[in-house]
């Protein structure tokens, strides 16, 4: 087959046929280089696409979420462990409940405003608040909401 392909005049072979002929009649080292040369762009595109689609959050957002998880564990988990709500069972931190009772569009600012304005949360003293004064700051709430949203949207509870 290789000898037969080599007999085809180059002028009468299509571009794809010429590439096939060249590849089949090349030495092993030439084949390896040719495979790399044709596969490298595809691999590069696949790598970039994978990175863009599945890359982790930017470092700042990840730090905020980690900090939010720590604040949540120290201050919120007493009533909301595992995304539950031990005070009002239906108003838990699962995505469906957040969409139904708090923010249908799952907007972070809307969720944060709802939590900060709820009478239940305004009455609480957060003994492990980073500020040390028993109250969470806007930044603390923002980090906790980032954590809660990640857990709810990612179904991690």
């Amino acid at each position: 087959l290789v000898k037969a392909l080599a007999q085809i005049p180059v002028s009468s072979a299509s571009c794809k046929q010429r590439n096939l002929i060249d590849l089949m009649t090349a030495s092993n080292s030439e084949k390896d280089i040719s495979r790399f040369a044709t596969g490298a762009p595809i691999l590069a595109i696949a790598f970039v696409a994978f990175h863009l689609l599945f890359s982790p959050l930017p470092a700042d957002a990840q730090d905020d979420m980690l900090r939010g998880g720590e604040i949540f564990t120290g201050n919120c988990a007493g009533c909301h462990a595992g995304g539950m709500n031990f005070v009002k069972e239906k108003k838990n931190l699962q995505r469906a409940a957040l969409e139904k009772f708090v923010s249908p569009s799952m907007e972070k600012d809307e969720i944060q405003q709802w939590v900060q304005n709820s009478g239940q949360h305004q009455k609480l003293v957060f003994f492990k608040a980073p500020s040390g004064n028993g109250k969470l700051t806007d930044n603390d709430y923002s980090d906790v909401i980032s954590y809660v949203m990640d857990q709810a949207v990612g179904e991690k509870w």
Side-chain angles (χ1 to χ4, degrees):
L1 178 63
V2 173
K3 288 181 181 178
L5 287 171
Q7 300 297 324
I8 298 174
V10 174
S11 60
S12 65
S14 71
C15 182
K16 286 183 182 179
Q17 289 170 332
R18 280 195 305 267
N19 287 340
L20 180 61
I21 293 167
D22 291 344
L23 188 58
M24 292 182 76
T25 58
S27 68
N28 283 339
S29 63
E30 290 173 322
K31 287 179 186 177
D32 291 342
I33 292 169
S34 177
R35 284 186 196 130
F36 176 76
T38 57
I42 294 169
L43 288 174
I45 291 169
F47 176 78
V48 170
F50 180 84
H51 181 68
L52 290 174
L53 291 173
F54 299 105
S55 64
L57 293 170
D60 295 359
Q62 200 141 16
D63 290 345
D64 291 348
M65 201 175 340
L66 289 173
R67 183 173 178 274
E70 292 170 4
I71 296 169
F72 180 90
T73 300
N75 296 281
C76 310
C79 296
H80 297 289
M84 302 307 295
N85 185 335
F86 299 117
V87 178
K88 295 180 181 179
E89 189 176 322
K90 290 182 181 179
K91 294 186 177 183
N92 57 53
L93 303 180
Q94 305 296 323
R95 182 180 187 148
L98 289 173
E99 288 174 335
K100 181 177 180 179
F101 297 112
V102 181
S103 174
S105 60
M106 292 293 288
E107 291 289 326
K108 181 181 176 187
D109 292 338
E110 192 174 17
I111 294 171
Q112 182 171 341
Q113 183 179 16
W114 186 91
V115 172
Q116 286 183 274
N117 291 335
S118 78
Q120 196 71 22
H121 294 104
Q122 288 179 344
K123 296 176 199 171
L124 294 176
V125 175
F126 297 101
F127 292 105
K128 295 184 180 177
S131 63
N133 67 2
K135 295 292 179 190
L136 297 179
T137 66
D138 288 346
N139 204 28
D140 295 337
Y141 274 108
S142 177
D143 292 348
V144 170
I145 298 303
S146 293
Y147 170 76
V148 167
M149 288 182 67
D150 178 66
Q151 297 294 106
V153 171
E155 297 180 7
K156 299 177 185 178
W157 293 118

